[in-house]
Amino acid sequence: MKSLLKTSALFTLLFLTISCNAQSERPNILLILCDDLGYGDVGFNGSADIITPQMDELAKNGIIFTSAYNAHSFCGPSRASLMTGRYSQQIGTPFNLHSNSSKIDEDNMGIPLEETFMSKVLQDAGYYTNVIGKWHLGASPKFHPNNRGYDNFYGFLGGGHNYFPEIYRKTYLKQLNAGNKNIRDYILPLEHNNKEVKETEYITDALSREAVNNIKIAKEKNEPFFMYLSYNAPHVPLEAKEDDMQVFNDIKDKDRRTYAGMVYAVDRGIGNIVKALKETGQFENTLIVFFSDNGGNMDHGASNYPLKGSKGDAWEGGYRTPMFFHWPNKLKGGQQFNHPVSALDLYPTFINIAKTKVPKNKKLSGKNIIPHLIAGTEPHKDEMLYLMRYRHGHVDVGARKGDWKITRVGNEPWRLTNITNDKGEKKNSGGKYPERLKSMTEEAHNWTKTFVKPLWYYSAKDEELWEAGRMPQYNETFEVSKLIQSASKH
Ligand code: CA
């Protein structure tokens, strides 16, 4: 009996050792998201005027994605897709949340709770989870980051923020003292896990500092970390530090120079983060993903070159953004990955490398891309990646499958583009390949049948049109006569 007990104790010990090793092998995951960063605004994508040496070093030693797509072309829905792994139209969140949404309607102003965030799955799997920076996924208590799987939150709940505390705080205090109950969220104090903090640093630097601190805290914990570092830069307001702007004295346009300074501040921060990862011995086994939530806003200093279009568009420049993966322990560096990938792929990819599973009924639209990165295969072979944006009276659509993309913008006819050869979307091949245009359009139309009604609208006008049946008008958007017209025209 004694020896049996001894053997069983040994087995238990062995089992514990094995499972501890398995735990320690799991990588850290650091998702660095920029806000409205243009495709052509980083060194590793060939920017002619903005330098980003820290990002470039990581990109060079990692995998650069040339066709990484967001699931939407502006902030709120794009971020909802990142966190839930689903298209916003399928979960009722295709519109941005309002400013100060915590004060408007607590019932539905946030991403539905039944959509388990990736952070919650990772938290349940033992990861130390952090979100630092912009949230924009619901500001009332039940939608708060600490209730969506984040152990630690440092940042702000709204859709953006001013950058210089010494300036915005004065306005904030003035309005507070005047009894304003609806102070714009861009100037509210930052918070740390529900507690207001008095931040004093330039916001981008503050977020980088918090990232560094938490990388050090994570090292002390006997578990891997997941960090969603959600910079609001270079989203408006365009506010850069003098030192950062001086790096770009050659840029004559003031907006562009300021924007460049803002991107450079993010780059400096990434330098500090890399240093912290190296100092704590976590660099080799951290998957760093760098991405933007949508395309650059060309009205505010950004460039999406060589892509066409701007933030909000169904053109490539609206939702195809710079991205790299860096993970020395697993992924060979010095690679470029040209197959299309989606923001929706990050959820299943992270869950997979964390060696855990999603809740039973959780639906995901993307897939784990790590095996494809290793094998060089196409993750979305024969599958469409969609962009759909509601406009008054019609829908803008971009849908890519392999080399081909169908696009409809405004009331223009449908277009078919070989997007591999024609990144700038100059040519319409719809007339040459009408059958391809027709079948892709039908597929996209069918996809709209999986949508649910929006839980909120951005404006009263949106709601009015929706209720009157004048939005979204899928039948009009996808109507066949437009296809024929476009096919015969070109
Ligand atoms: Ca954005």
Side-chain angles (χ1 to χ4, degrees):
M1 187 66 188
K2 222 177 189 179
S3 88
L4 192 68
L5 273 176
K6 221 172 168 182
T7 316
S8 120
L10 261 177
F11 270 119
T12 311
L13 192 67
L14 191 67
F15 173 76
L16 281 174
T17 315
I18 289 168
S19 50
C20 278
N21 281 343
Q23 293 284 95
S24 66
E25 280 167 13
R26 297 190 302 173
N28 303 306
I29 301 166
L30 170 55
L31 169 60
I32 304 175
L33 193 73
C34 278
D35 197 350
D36 294 8
L37 177 66
Y39 188 82
D41 289 332
V42 291
F44 66 86
N45 268 5
S47 176
D49 54 359
I50 299 181
I51 57 162
T52 51
Q54 303 294 340
M55 296 177 200
D56 295 354
E57 183 67 16
L58 291 171
K60 189 181 80 186
N61 294 308
I63 298 175
I64 298 171
F65 295 79
T66 57
S67 296
Y69 290 92
N70 286 283
H72 207 86
S73 55
F74 54 74
C75 307
S78 169
R79 287 153 192 266
S81 289
L82 262 182
M83 284 303 119
T84 64
R86 299 194 68 198
Y87 281 104
S88 56
Q89 293 87 355
Q90 293 174 321
I91 58 172
T93 67
F95 293 101
N96 266 338
L97 284 162
H98 307 162
S99 294
N100 298 341
S101 52
S102 63
K103 300 182 181 78
I104 297 168
D105 179 353
E106 296 206 348
D107 287 339
N108 71 349
M109 283 288 166
I111 311 308
L113 300 179
E114 57 270 24
E115 292 298 331
T116 309
F117 280 18
M118 59 158 83
S119 43
K120 181 76 177 81
V121 182
L122 293 167
Q123 185 181 51
D124 287 347
Y127 271 66
Y128 170 53
T129 53
N130 276 267
V131 54
I132 295 165
K134 166 168 159 175
W135 181 239
H136 209 200
L137 298 165
S140 61
K142 67 181 179 184
F143 300 117
H144 188 276
N146 291 136
N147 291 327
R148 310 278 340 226
Y150 287 101
D151 298 319
N152 185 56
F153 166 52
Y154 189 99
F156 48 92
L157 296 168
H161 211 278
N162 285 39
Y163 292 85
F164 288 108
E166 65 272 28
I167 299 170
Y168 71 71
R169 192 165 170 83
K170 277 185 200 150
T171 316
Y172 164 71
L173 289 174
K174 215 168 147 187
Q175 295 188 10
L176 187 72
N177 292 333
N180 183 354
K181 296 267 181 289
N182 202 27
I183 302 174
R184 189 166 186 243
D185 39 20
Y186 274 53
I187 60 169
L188 294 177
L190 267 54
E191 68 158 89
H192 182 210
N193 296 333
N194 267 314
K195 285 200 187 72
E196 189 177 309
V197 290
K198 194 179 165 191
E199 181 54 61
T200 56
E201 281 197 85
Y202 177 66
I203 294 303
T204 300
D205 290 344
L207 303 183
S208 302
R209 179 199 70 218
E210 290 301 312
V212 165
N213 287 346
N214 279 288
I215 284 166
K216 290 176 182 166
I217 290 169
K219 177 64 185 173
E220 301 308 313
K221 296 181 182 280
N222 195 20
E223 55 196 21
F225 72 78
F226 167 60
M227 184 180 290
Y228 169 34
L229 174 54
S230 174
Y231 285 111
N232 53 317
H235 190 290
V236 290
L238 294 180
E239 295 177 348
K241 289 170 99 173
E242 269 309 316
D243 285 357
D244 291 330
M245 282 175 76
Q246 273 175 18
V247 177
F248 303 100
N249 272 337
D250 289 348
I251 300 178
K252 295 290 165 248
D253 180 85
K254 179 145 189 268
D255 278 1
R256 178 72 177 165
R257 190 163 71 249
T258 312
Y259 175 96
M262 294 168 84
V263 175
Y264 191 70
V266 170
D267 195 69
R268 280 193 291 101
I270 291 176
N272 295 339
I273 287 161
V274 166
K275 192 163 161 259
L277 286 170
K278 286 182 176 169
E279 280 171 3
T280 54
Q282 301 180 97
F283 186 64
E284 303 292 321
N285 201 28
T286 297
L287 166 64
I288 304 175
V289 175
F290 179 85
F291 202 21
S292 173
D293 69 335
N294 52 255
N297 190 335
M298 288 161 68
D299 292 336
H300 299 289
S303 163
N304 298 308
Y305 183 82
L307 309 178
K308 178 176 181 169
S310 189
K311 170 184 182 176
D313 286 345
W315 303 116
E316 295 287 278
Y319 67 117
R320 179 166 164 183
T321 65
M323 182 159 99
F324 66 74
F325 273 27
H326 179 277
W327 184 12
N329 271 8
K330 180 86 176 181
L331 300 174
K332 196 167 140 273
Q335 298 190 66
Q336 185 173 300
F337 195 78
N338 297 321
H339 295 302
V341 296
S342 168
L344 297 162
D345 297 330
L346 294 180
Y347 191 134
T349 299
F350 293 172
I351 298 312
N352 191 277
I353 64 176
K355 299 184 168 72
T356 186
K357 286 195 167 59
V358 291
K360 216 173 163 193
N361 297 320
K362 175 80 181 94
K363 290 180 186 161
L364 290 172
S365 300
K367 55 180 61 169
N368 171 22
I369 60 171
I370 298 290
H372 297 281
L373 300 184
I374 292 168
T377 48
E378 188 177 354
H380 297 284
K381 195 167 167 42
D382 301 324
E383 287 171 5
M384 260 189 187
L385 296 182
Y386 297 103
L387 182 283
M388 195 164 286
R389 188 205 164 149
Y390 298 125
R391 303 270 191 186
H392 290 169
H394 66 273
V395 186
D396 282 357
V397 183
R400 177 170 175 174
K401 193 188 226 184
D403 290 334
W404 294 94
K405 179 186 176 188
I406 51 163
T407 313
R408 187 170 179 223
V409 174
N411 285 316
E412 292 294 307
W414 280 94
R415 296 169 65 91
L416 175 73
T417 309
N418 183 317
I419 206 67
T420 304
N421 299 335
D422 182 12
K423 278 197 189 88
E425 296 175 273
K426 293 192 173 79
K427 202 174 155 211
N428 183 0
S429 302
K432 200 171 172 192
Y433 305 106
E435 286 307 312
R436 187 189 297 276
L437 175 63
K438 188 165 180 282
S439 71
M440 285 180 73
T441 312
E442 278 171 1
E443 190 175 342
H445 193 185
N446 282 336
W447 178 63
T448 65
K449 290 165 189 152
T450 66
F451 294 178
V452 299
K453 198 178 173 199
L455 294 166
W456 67 83
Y457 301 86
Y458 190 61
S459 68
K461 181 82 179 164
D462 292 335
E463 185 163 11
E464 186 193 315
L465 290 173
W466 202 285
E467 294 301 339
R470 287 167 56 212
M471 276 176 87
Q473 304 210 126
Y474 297 123
N475 287 340
E476 288 80 352
T477 298
F478 290 96
E479 95 186 282
V480 176
S481 66
K482 292 235 166 50
L483 295 177
I484 294 166
Q485 179 197 7
S486 102
S488 57
K489 252 187 171 176
H490 296 272

